[in-house]
Amino acid sequence: MMMKMCSLVVVMVALLKVAAADNYTVGGDMGWTIPPLGKVAYSTWAKTKNFDVGDVIVFKWTGNHNVAEVSKADYDSCNITNPIDGTIYQTSPVNIPLTSNNNTRYFICTVADHCSNFGQKVTISMDQKWWDDDHNSAPFRHTSILPPFFAFFLTIFLSFSLN
């Protein structure tokens, strides 16, 4: 009986891990700044992530920067005059929860020419998955199907080994 309880606890812990959300600092250790390699720095960073609904992206910076969410057209042209909801975040850090309302979101720095000349902008896409050809470098994530299968088979194994 004690072993069955232990196996149940193992399954519950595995399933809880599946439901956990992640926080991502945009740019990783670099943070939100003028990227040394231009916009490729942020696009490379974002392509290695597998964002899901419930995750939070965190913009952290020092110095003269800000962040605004913009439309795709404004992102492409670095138009800094029309942020979504009229909001330009001026104080670091900024936590942006990812919701089911948008699969792709676009963020830019609106300071001077940080976006247009230096590439301080990032696309956050929640529809990139590990099986997509364009994102085959994205690692398996806690929400992949592997942990639930692992928990299921572990429970079956423990049930048979206890009998």
Side-chain angles (χ1 to χ4, degrees):
M1 181 66 161
M2 182 64 142
M3 290 300 283
K4 287 185 180 183
M5 283 296 250
C6 287
S7 64
L8 181 61
V9 168
V10 168
V11 170
M12 290 172 60
V13 168
L15 292 176
L16 282 175
K17 184 172 180 166
V18 170
D22 286 329
N23 287 348
Y24 293 99
T25 299
V26 174
D29 292 338
M30 177 177 63
W32 186 240
T33 189
I34 295 174
L37 300 174
K39 71 178 182 178
V40 70
Y42 287 115
S43 63
T44 300
W45 171 83
K47 284 182 180 178
T48 65
K49 307 300 178 230
N50 194 0
F51 303 106
D52 267 332
V53 172
D55 290 345
V56 176
I57 56 171
V58 181
F59 291 86
K60 291 182 183 178
W61 66 86
T62 58
N64 188 24
H65 300 287
N66 62 32
V67 67
E69 186 171 2
V70 295
S71 68
K72 168 106 170 78
D74 288 345
Y75 175 88
D76 290 340
S77 65
C78 286
N79 179 0
I80 63 174
T81 62
N82 193 26
I84 291 178
D85 296 334
T87 303
I88 298 175
Y89 299 96
Q90 303 286 345
T91 305
S92 175
V94 175
N95 297 323
I96 310 275
L98 301 178
T99 66
S100 60
N101 296 341
N102 271 326
N103 283 334
T104 304
R105 298 174 73 176
Y106 305 94
F107 298 90
I108 63 173
C109 181
T110 70
V111 172
D113 55 356
H114 289 195
C115 178
S116 59
N117 289 339
F118 300 112
Q120 191 174 0
K121 60 185 191 174
V122 66
T123 300
I124 304 296
S125 180
M126 290 183 288
D127 59 0
Q128 63 189 34
K129 299 297 179 197
W130 61 269
W131 56 82
D132 289 346
D133 288 339
D134 292 342
H135 306 290
N136 58 10
S137 64
F140 278 98
R141 212 188 120 125
H142 68 274
T143 55
S144 74
I145 200 161
L146 294 178
F149 275 144
F150 175 75
F152 174 74
F153 286 116
L154 182 62
T155 303
I156 290 175
F157 172 76
L158 290 173
S159 294
F160 281 116
S161 65
L162 293 176
N163 291 331

